[in-house]
Amino acid sequence: MKRVFSGVQPTGNLHIGNYLGALKQFVELQEDHECIYCVVDMHSITVPQDPKELKQHTLDIAALYMAVGVDPKKSIIFAQSTVPGHAELNWILTCNSYTGELSRMTQYKQKSHGAESAPTGLFMYPVLMAADILLYDTDIVPVGNDQKQHIELTRDLAIRVNNKYGETFVVPEGRFMKAGARVMALDDPTAKMSKSAPNEMSRISLLDEPSKIKKAIMRSTTDSDGVIRFDIDNKPGISNLLSIYSAFSGKTIEQLEKDYEGSGYGQFKKDLVEVTVDALSPIRERFLEIRGSQELIDAMKNGTERANAIAEPVIKRVKDRFGLGI
Ligand code: ATP
Ligand code: LTN
């Protein structure tokens, strides 16, 4: 069975971009893969976090994994900081990375705003992500499109170490959705939907009430020609809504274009509200059941044990290759 690893940062509520780009794949893959799903709490402290909130967010992301359908009996769910191998491998990979390649990472450039002095953690973020992935001999990494560059770096680091020290790491591959790999902001379809954007109406969170979902979709930015057709360059707003509709309903974009031929944006948006509310309501209900439950704590503790059992022999192998220890 091929092994799958992915992670989500415990920063705030997840939105439908996170779901359609990443979490939906988590659920699909667990049927015929060995899956490891991590809440990457150590990544989130690359920017300051309130300690109490961070702990709660970590539990909430794990609860959301379960609410969307990740089954802790099939998949491993755990918090990154509870497996020491992540930090150990992080250092070893740091010593095999270059400042040049890390300065070229788009996410770093965006988050550091080109400042001359930025937090070192932000700079090192992609190396820790590579450590997460390589620690489990991962074959497949399901993520959104925005992580492509980080996956490439992970592969480069793995290949570099393999060439220098002999076969050490499995070289992983990214896995991206057809519809949903890059969900755009509802108020500005040229920007990625993001947890951190100031405008609440730019996103739909997985736990949003139907009234908020309705408001955000009905107000979403579209063009003025009124034709429901997929054309990212000239009609980014309606194209984004078509992608979301397609991802939630399972209908192809071509089918939707046919279904809505001749009808206006108003009707299309109304139907999209219904499709979205129907998809998110069971997630919200399940989340409220799991949040604060013993089931959640047990699943995460069990996840840590199982993750450690996979990571320990890999760390041992890496240390042997590098001549670390006695
Ligand atoms: P933000 O949404 O604030 O930019 P982030 O990208 O850091 O946060 P994470 O929680 O770390 O979000 O990402 C979790 C997963 O969701 C990753 O696999 C990421 O690629 C994916 N993802 C994030 N935003 C989108 C989006 N707009 N469309 C599709 N996938 C996305
Ligand atoms: N950088 C990722 C989160 C992340 C991740 C990982 C994803 C950290 N470690 C390992 C996949 C595999 C992001 O989505 N921002």
Side-chain angles (χ1 to χ4, degrees):
M1 253 210 289
K2 293 222 170 186
R3 191 172 287 153
V4 170
F5 182 96
S6 194
V8 173
Q9 294 192 69
T11 42
N13 244 330
L14 294 190
H15 50 70
I16 58 171
N18 302 126
Y19 176 64
L20 297 175
L23 270 72
K24 216 168 150 219
Q25 304 194 63
F26 293 9
V27 181
E28 285 169 17
L29 285 163
Q30 70 181 349
E31 297 313 321
D32 45 7
H33 294 77
E34 183 184 3
C35 296
I36 307 172
Y37 299 126
C38 186
V39 184
V40 292
D41 52 352
M42 296 204 294
H43 274 101
S44 68
I45 61 165
T46 50
V47 295
Q49 301 289 338
D50 176 86
K52 269 207 194 97
E53 268 178 22
L54 177 56
K55 236 182 237 304
Q56 189 56 53
H57 284 154
T58 299
L59 291 166
D60 283 352
I61 297 294
L64 269 172
Y65 282 175
M66 287 165 67
V68 300
V70 176
D71 177 354
K73 290 202 187 73
K74 294 182 187 149
S75 303
I76 295 176
I77 300 176
F78 75 108
Q80 184 187 33
S81 63
T82 63
V83 174
H86 293 258
E88 280 184 271
L89 190 53
N90 178 48
W91 177 248
I92 294 169
L93 292 176
T94 295
C95 298
N96 285 277
S97 64
Y98 294 99
T99 53
E101 61 193 349
L102 297 184
S103 354
R104 283 194 292 275
M105 295 291 123
T106 319
Q107 186 173 305
Y108 169 69
K109 285 196 268 185
Q110 281 167 354
K111 297 209 167 166
S112 63
H113 308 293
E116 201 171 295
S117 180
T120 313
L122 272 187
F123 187 65
M124 300 308 304
Y125 181 110
V127 179
L128 179 57
M129 174 162 166
D132 297 341
I133 297 168
L134 300 180
L135 182 59
Y136 296 96
D137 288 339
T138 302
D139 299 294
I140 302 166
V141 188
V143 277
N145 261 355
D146 61 323
Q147 296 302 310
K148 265 194 177 150
Q149 205 185 20
H150 290 161
I151 303 283
E152 268 318 301
L153 177 81
T154 304
R155 290 170 55 86
D156 289 348
L157 289 174
I159 293 167
R160 187 177 301 157
V161 169
N162 286 349
N163 286 339
K164 213 164 158 191
Y165 295 90
E167 279 309 304
T168 308
F169 293 122
V170 172
V171 182
E173 274 177 35
R175 184 180 190 271
F176 311 93
M177 292 299 260
K178 274 204 196 90
R182 190 169 173 82
V183 177
M184 308 309 280
L186 296 177
D187 61 338
D188 173 9
T190 61
K192 178 182 95 113
M193 185 176 284
S194 157
K195 279 185 256 182
S196 40
N199 183 4
E200 267 296 320
M201 292 300 154
S202 68
R203 61 184 158 263
I204 295 172
S205 294
L206 295 186
L207 305 175
D208 276 346
E209 303 271 352
S211 58
K212 153 76 200 302
I213 296 174
K214 185 172 175 195
K215 220 187 244 174
I217 291 179
M218 296 312 289
R219 280 189 196 174
S220 62
T221 304
T222 43
D223 52 72
S224 54
D225 81 3
V227 181
I228 296 161
R229 182 167 48 83
F230 190 88
D231 176 351
I232 292 257
D233 294 331
N234 300 307
K235 296 164 72 63
I238 206 72
S239 302
N240 187 38
L241 297 184
L242 274 165
S243 297
I244 297 171
Y245 199 139
S246 164
F248 276 131
S249 66
K251 290 186 183 169
T252 62
I253 291 191
E254 295 75 46
Q255 185 63 50
L256 290 170
E257 284 175 338
K258 255 197 214 132
D259 290 353
Y260 285 96
E261 211 179 318
S263 60
Y265 290 167
Q267 187 58 46
F268 175 77
K269 284 181 172 178
K270 257 192 213 147
D271 293 351
L272 177 57
V273 171
E274 203 179 306
V275 168
T276 308
V277 169
D278 283 352
L280 299 189
S281 297
I283 295 177
R284 206 163 145 262
E285 279 165 27
R286 181 100 182 95
F287 172 81
L288 294 173
E289 280 168 25
I290 298 166
R291 190 179 210 220
S293 70
Q294 191 58 38
E295 180 194 1
L296 172 65
I297 304 291
D298 291 346
M300 290 188 79
K301 285 193 173 152
N302 176 260
T304 298
E305 269 174 37
R306 288 155 71 197
N308 244 321
I310 301 171
E312 271 169 5
V314 179
I315 282 288
K316 183 170 180 319
R317 180 173 79 222
V318 176
K319 283 184 174 170
D320 279 349
R321 292 275 192 278
F322 279 80
L324 291 165
I326 51 166

